[in-house]
Amino acid sequence: MLIKNGTLISPANGQEIKADLRIENGMIAGIGILSPHDEEEVIDASSCIVAPGLVDVHVHFRDPGLTYKEDLHTGAMAAAAGGFTTVVCMANTKPPVDNTATLSDLVKRATEEPVRVRFAGAVSQGLKGKELTDFEALADNGACGFTDDGIPLLDAALTCRAMECAKKLDLPLSFHEEDPAFIEKSGANSTAPAVAEDVLVARDCMIALHTGATVNIQHISSANSVALVRTAKSLGAHVYAEATPHHFSLTEKAVDVYGTYAKMNPPLRTEKDRQEIILGLKDGTIDVIATDHAPHSTEEKKKENFFDAPSGIIGLETSLALGITNLVRPGHLTMMQLLEKMTVNPGRLYRLSATARTKTEMLRNDSAPENETERIISALPYGILAEGAAADLVIFNPEEAFTAGHYQSRSENTPFTGMQLYGRVRYTICRGKVVWKS
């Protein structure tokens, strides 16, 4: 396959060039001014950006247990439609991913999907926050990190032990930071104030500094929490923070317009909070853009009482466009910076590489030659366009407007439906194959 006439943006090394790109055997085989081979498939990327496939380190595919909302395949197709070639699924399924049997089943089934679907293991058994899972066993069976996302860890001593265990394995922990002691009802800024987030962010930043563990503050929403992460980084803590497109695009006023479709945890907050999130993205305090893709059925979301509806919205198919529309076009971030937060940084957080196959895929393939296994060890960084890197790519037109809607996800719970956004995904290529075309 030959991709012609595109603007190649490679965030891992900061390169932006007008060039062609050739794909062979699932890998990037050449970059430059290239002529097509006989019978070679050619994609014309004129007016488009060609970038590494996007990474979302915070998605809920509801599999196992709640597949009427989403499953591995519908979630993977939503990811492909949004330009994502790698996603990390959270552990709060039913049953949760707190054991190797559940994890191994997911890892095996994920190999059949069009994009790379990876999994975090639970921090605590049964997501109860009382006893740690077997981190080492979960890691050996494919867990790329640990989280009880959706449920905050309230036991500080357990949190510290979790960080110590994760550090030994050199894997990240991702935390949902909302202390229920300060929450009257979840999902709204008026009843779930920012202090609920701030107190746990402060605690976990300091424990991270103490242990040296890599910690990710999930879906940061509070101005004070952004400042806390900034301080922790300045002290030397290995703390990452992720922001969702809905938190940098909307405020609590959206609840009056969209009702339950603007209900999420943590909730949408004030304009000041939104501006501080944008500032955090600009100055590097917030490293990652992640969707917290949270599908629910229409019947569940359209409850008459706001607080009876579940929290969360889908986000994979609008994430890149919201970043372009609300961050790049207003001048808050350059396109390079946006893509860095959607490729390089999430890849670095979850120890991803730009090799043709993941370590888990290699280990599951008994026929893999030894030299391929060795190549995994000296892998290229994720987010790079270079010969020898995996052909995981997104091709999009940043100037093309479209109306959000008609989702590949099984669910449609999002306030962004009907909005005009910029940055249509034209192709998503994973493992050298076109998995989405619009």
Side-chain angles (χ1 to χ4, degrees), residues 11-224:
N13 55 5
Q15 290 186 352
E16 179 175 343
I17 58 172
K18 186 82 171 179
D20 308 324
L21 183 149
R22 173 164 280 123
I23 297 171
E24 292 178 355
N25 300 317
M27 300 172 67
I28 297 173
I31 293 175
I33 306 304
L34 307 173
S35 298
H37 295 160
D38 291 344
E39 300 183 359
E40 184 174 31
E41 179 183 1
V42 177
I43 292 175
D44 183 4
S46 300
S47 303
C48 290
I49 289 171
V50 181
L54 307 180
V55 179
D56 193 338
V57 296
H58 189 164
V59 303
H60 300 271
F61 283 179
R62 309 302 192 195
D63 195 341
L66 296 168
T67 52
Y68 68 92
K69 302 173 189 254
E70 194 84 282
D71 59 33
L72 287 187
H73 185 65
T74 60
M77 287 307 301
F84 292 90
T85 55
T86 300
V87 296
V88 178
C89 292
M90 299 295 96
N92 58 337
T93 49
K94 291 187 177 181
V97 188
D98 63 354
N99 62 88
T100 58
T102 299
L103 175 60
S104 296
D105 173 67
L106 288 166
V107 169
K108 181 179 180 180
R109 289 193 286 122
T111 60
E112 305 298 321
E113 297 305 331
V115 302
R116 303 178 196 266
V117 184
R118 305 197 65 188
F119 303 91
V123 172
S124 70
Q125 294 185 16
L127 305 176
K128 295 179 180 179
K130 301 294 183 183
E131 187 175 355
L132 294 180
T133 58
D134 187 336
F135 280 25
E136 187 170 357
L138 288 169
D140 286 344
N141 282 271
C144 58
F146 305 95
T147 182
D148 276 9
D149 177 51
I151 305 172
L153 289 173
L154 301 181
D155 185 328
L158 182 89
T159 302
C160 184
R161 292 199 301 274
M163 289 194 200
E164 291 168 346
C165 291
K167 178 175 170 52
K168 289 179 182 178
L169 297 169
D170 189 32
L171 289 175
L173 287 156
S174 292
F175 291 137
H176 181 121
E177 307 286 44
E178 283 190 296
D179 189 334
F182 298 94
I183 296 175
E184 179 185 351
K185 292 180 179 179
S186 64
N189 190 40
S190 59
T191 56
V195 65
E197 180 175 318
D198 299 339
V199 293
L200 289 185
V201 171
R203 182 199 72 178
D204 292 342
C205 281
M206 290 303 98
I207 300 175
L209 181 63
H210 169 72
T211 61
T214 299
V215 167
N216 175 37
I217 305 300
Q218 296 181 298
H219 42 45
I220 198 165
S221 70
S222 157
N224 288 339

Side-chain angles (χ1 to χ4, degrees), residues 317-346:
E317 297 173 67
T318 53
S319 180
L320 175 62
L322 286 166
I324 293 169
T325 303
N326 295 329
L327 296 176
V328 175
R329 289 176 69 86
H332 300 306
L333 297 181
T334 65
M335 186 64 73
M336 183 75 73
Q337 289 171 325
L338 176 69
L339 291 171
E340 182 181 40
K341 293 177 189 298
M342 300 184 77
T343 60
V344 179
N345 292 351

Side-chain angles (χ1 to χ4, degrees), residues 221-340:
S221 70
S222 157
N224 288 339
S225 287
V226 175
L228 289 165
V229 169
R230 187 178 290 116
T231 298
K233 285 176 178 281
S234 72
L235 293 172
H238 301 299
V239 175
Y240 285 67
E242 64 181 45
T244 70
H246 43 275
H247 284 113
F248 66 64
S249 298
L250 301 173
T251 71
E252 59 185 344
K253 293 181 179 180
V255 172
D256 297 331
V257 180
Y258 304 105
T260 59
Y261 276 43
K263 181 177 187 278
M264 63 275 298
N265 297 335
L268 299 171
R269 301 203 187 278
T270 67
E271 177 63 14
K272 178 184 177 183
D273 292 305
R274 189 181 78 87
Q275 290 296 332
E276 287 301 313
I277 289 169
I278 291 173
L279 179 59
L281 287 164
K282 291 172 68 172
D283 70 14
T285 299
I286 301 174
D287 313 83
V288 172
I289 291 172
T291 64
D292 189 14
H293 178 80
H296 295 292
S297 70
T298 302
E299 293 74 18
E300 288 171 319
K301 264 297 192 180
K302 289 191 173 179
K303 297 289 187 181
E304 187 173 341
N305 186 322
F306 178 86
F307 293 106
D308 288 341
S311 293
I313 67 172
I314 61 170
L316 284 164
E317 297 173 67
T318 53
S319 180
L320 175 62
L322 286 166
I324 293 169
T325 303
N326 295 329
L327 296 176
V328 175
R329 289 176 69 86
H332 300 306
L333 297 181
T334 65
M335 186 64 73
M336 183 75 73
Q337 289 171 325
L338 176 69
L339 291 171
E340 182 181 40

